[in-house]
Structures are given as C-alpha cells and as structure tokens.
Amino acid sequence: MDVPAVPAKVDPDALTAVLDGRWAALRRDVRAQMTAASFRETVGLDVEAHRAQVLDQLRKLATTDLPGLGFDPAYGGGGDVGGSVTSFEMLGFGDLSLMVKAGVQWGLFGGAVQLLGTSRHHSRYLQRIKDLDLLGCFAMTEHGHGSDVQHLRTTATYDPASAEFVVHSPDTSAAKEYIGNAARDGELAVVFAQLETGGESRGVHAFLVPIRIDGAPAPGVSIEDCGVKAGLNGVDNGRLRFDHVRVPREALLNRFGDVAPDGTYSSPIESDGRRFFTMLGTLIRGRVSVAGSAGNATKRALTLAVRYGETRRQFAKPDGEEVAILDYLGHQRKLLPALAATYALHFAQEELVSKLHDIPADAPDEEQRELESRAAGLKAVATWHATSTIQAAREACGGAGYLAENLLPALKADTDVFTTFEGDNTVLLQLVAKGLLTSYKEFFADLSPLATARFVAEQVVDAVLERTAALKFLERLTESADSEVLFDRDWQLRMFEDREEHVLAGVAQRLRRAVSDPFGVFNSAQDHVLRAGRVHVDHLVLQAFVSALSRCADPDARALLERVCDLYALSTLEADRAWFLEHGRLTAARSKALTAAVNSLCAALRPHARTLVDAFAVPEQFLAAPMLFA
C-alpha cells in the first residue's frame, strides 16, 4: 500500500525539540548533570553496594536545585510543579533505583509534608527534606491493604491527657509493607492511619512518626528489611510496625483535618469520604512521575534494540550479503509500532504534566477529578507499555539482550513493579471508568420506573443512531480507496472516539442493573469496565499526538512525525480489529488493508528508525552496551 511521502532525511535535533517541549531547558540541564561520572551503571553491584551508590548519587542531586523545584519558594523551593515532575522523569534514563529513591524522598515524603501539612510542618521540615538533612519514608501500603487505602488498619488514637496520638499496628495485616527508605536510611515517616478521637473514627489521615533515632529503630518501632527484590535493589524497601508509638498532637498533617488539644475534630471538608479522596488527590505527582519515568526507560530500551538491529546481521541474500535484522519485517513489527506508541505516550505525558502544573489550587472538583483520572489512566497504559516493549526489545537483541552487561535485563527487572506501585494498574483503569460514568449519574441516582423507562428508551434510540452511523462508516469504506481512508487523520480520530463512546454506553447499560446485586453485577462487568478505561486512554493519547504535530515548526520533522502518528493509530486499530469488525466499523477487506498499511508504514519508517530513537537524546553513558560495539 502506498504511504504518504516521508522525507529522505530528518535532523534528530528537530525531533528532540518537539519532544522536549515546555521544559526543554530543564531537560537539557538534567541530561548534562546525568553525564557526570558519578551517575554510574550498576552492573555487578551487590545489594549493599548498590544502596550505597544510590544514596551517594542522591546526595549529589541534593546539591543541585532539582530536588526543590516543586517546593514552596518560601522554604527554598522553586515553585515549579511541572519542572519537578519532569526532573524525576529524566532520572528514568539512568539507574531507576535512583529515580525511585529520589521520588520517595522529595516526591512522596516531601510532597506529603508540603501538600498535607501546614505552615508548622513546612517551616520545620521542608528545607531539611530538600537538602537531604532529613531522610524520610511514605508509609501507606499495608500487608493486608494495598490499593484499598480507605480501609488501612493502622490506628492513631488521640490521648487528650497527654495531647499525643498513639500510633499502633493491631495485627500483622497492618504492617506497613514495601516502604522505600525504611530498611536503611529513613529517619521520619509519613504514616497513614485511621484517626480516632473521642471514641469516633475520622478516617485515614497522615502523621509524622520518627522511625530511627541515631541510626537505631525508635522506641516501639519494628523495622524489617524486605531483602533482595527482582529489581530496584538500590532502594532500601522495608516493613514497619508500630507498638503504641506516641507522637505529639502536632505530628498530624492537618491541612484537611485537625484535632484540638481537648480532642475535638475539625475539618474544612465535612464528608469523611470526600475528605479522603481530596487528600489522596493532592498526591498524584508520584503517579505522574512514574508514568514519565517508565516512558524514559522504554525509550532507553528501544534505543538499544534499534541500534543493535542496525548492526547485527544474519542470513544472507542471494548475493551473499548478510541482512541487518532490522531490515526484516518481523523485526520491524516487533519494534516500530512500539516506538510509535512511545512517541504517542510521551506527548500525552507532556500534556498531563502541563495540566498538573497549571491547575489552580482552588480548581473545581470536576477539574481535579479529570486530572486524577487522566493521571491514573496514563500511568496504567504507560507502565504496561514499558513492560511489553522492554520485553520485546530484549527479545530483539537475542542472547545479547539477556546479558546483564547489555543493560536490558536490569531495565526489564526494574520496571516490572511499575505496573503495581503508585496504584495497581487494574484498579487505576477502574478509577478512569468510574470518572467517565459520571455522565450517566442522573440515571443511577433515580431508580424509579419512569427513570428506568427513560434510560432504556434512550439506549434504544442510541442503538438506532449507532447503526445509522455504522452504515455511513461502511459507505465511506466501500466508496473510498484504502489509503484515502486509513491515512485520514479525522477518520482515525473518529474511530477511536466512536469505540470509546460505544464501550462506555455499554458499561452504563450493564451497571444499570446493579441495584439488585451491586457487587455481582459490577464483578460480572469488570472486564467491560476495564475496557472502557483503556479505550478512553487510547483516545486521549492519539489526541495528544495530533496536538503535538501542530507544534512542530520543522516541516521535515513534522512530515516524519505524521507517519509515526499514523503507525500509532493504525497499529492500535489493528490490534483491536475484532471489535471493529464485530461492531460494523470495518469490513473484512478493509481490515486486511489495515494490516497492509501497518506493514507499509514499518517499511517506510525503517530508514528513520535510528533518527527516531536518537531524538530521545538518552545520555550516551546509559547506552554503553558492549553488544553495540562488538
């Protein structure tokens, strides 16, 4: 199939300029800092040596202005939320243990103190946290409750006689688990616990609890090392238990809820549930940073695999010349659609970071929830993409990709947990779908026979309209040439949008019956719910890519990115051909043409594969794999 023209040559720097976007200067600065000799590879290090190296690198980072970018300028910070998230993302090009430990210290621990605390906490702790004079932990997850934060079992009971909270782990399920910085370096922890005062439970709140004093566990605190993990062994994850540990009343991070000396509870948010979700909503920076870091680790893996694919030759043509493995369609299919998706997710991530940076403190609840939903969805899709793409890159490098010296095994091991920390991906997609279903809330709120009849009637009308729309789609498919349709950006966007609307309406219709058996109905529709979240994110990602194209000033770079966008859109549609065929959006002939178009795009982009990965501008020291120089 004929593909729209692609320039013969494109300057990778022109692509880098588009990728670096709003925080381009900061990205350049971080790349320069990461090229310093102190930011070394970790091949061959044991756990203790790796932990020591990461802490040493963390101390070097603390001497720069990067850790404080997201903090309040009144306490030595830069007041640049987007810049702060971007700087954490950039660490994803190197040792991911450093990125995670930095994220724990300055993002989660420091972020919780800043966003959940008030001036009394800010003045006492933020400068010390920024300068690494005080190392801390973020103790939320428990052995028995991970994603279900609302039902954590650790308690913090207020004692008015001493004006103290008593923090306690009532059983083994309440032990804080997988806590970064806990096993070796942390001194103070932000502990999430059920606040109890005056005989009433006020839900989950955050407290500052010392866990070490002069290097030894604080009284009543038990610390256990989680030991060797599949990856990220430069991070000292530990388990924490509290045996009636007393902390002063001021240890409560009290932005959203406070306790007076006599035990009286007060909050600017009356509803316990709304207060809980508002509190968690302020902490989405970590989730956003994980998505971006996963994207940068993916870029590194693809750069290694594409460079190897251009140099590794195998099997001879009739003239006796061996063929570079990237010239094989099967190899292109393995890497190039993933490369296109990586570009697409990058632009979606950049858009998300800008939204996070620009959202005002007093933004309406709807705007805040939309941001949280977008962060949840992109984190899920970006980290799943990292897992599958890094595996594909490893396979694309054969046996060489399995050797630790060639860097891919560490990338594979270190990013594997990204799909479950900062929110399990399955739970996060449910959160996305829940947000989308708010448009149907009027139907769920009123379960009267009249409302039910209205809902069913509207669904019938929608079904008729959908069949009409499908016929119009089919008419265009039949009357137009394959290339005219498949490379039409409006058609691509319409296909993504139509799929999202149909899937979401179907979920709403199924969940309408949940009044009789809420859990049973939801559980039986969970696959449908997750699909609704996923196709919504796919649509957002394509929209972000299209928006980025309009910002590309270099005509040759834009022409190349147009074809990369085509590959993302068409390979995504191809992967879900069954749905589009089942629902009348594709004919069988057009479905075959879709595969032919993806193959043609792979061939057209093959000469530009090296340019596309070089544009990521991964610091060369993190690409020093011996397989590329053999």
Side-chain angles (χ1 to χ4, degrees), residues 559-582:
L560 179 58
L561 286 175
E562 291 277 5
R563 303 292 76 78
V564 176
C565 187
D566 284 334
L567 182 55
Y568 168 70
L570 298 184
S571 60
T572 302
L573 295 176
E574 182 193 33
D576 205 14
R577 280 187 301 167
W579 187 92
F580 289 102
L581 283 164
E582 288 172 354

Side-chain angles (χ1 to χ4, degrees), residues 407-423:
L407 311 177
L408 287 165
L411 280 173
K412 182 172 162 55
D414 287 347
T415 56
D416 192 55
V417 75
F418 281 26
T419 60
T420 46
F421 77 177
E422 280 297 322

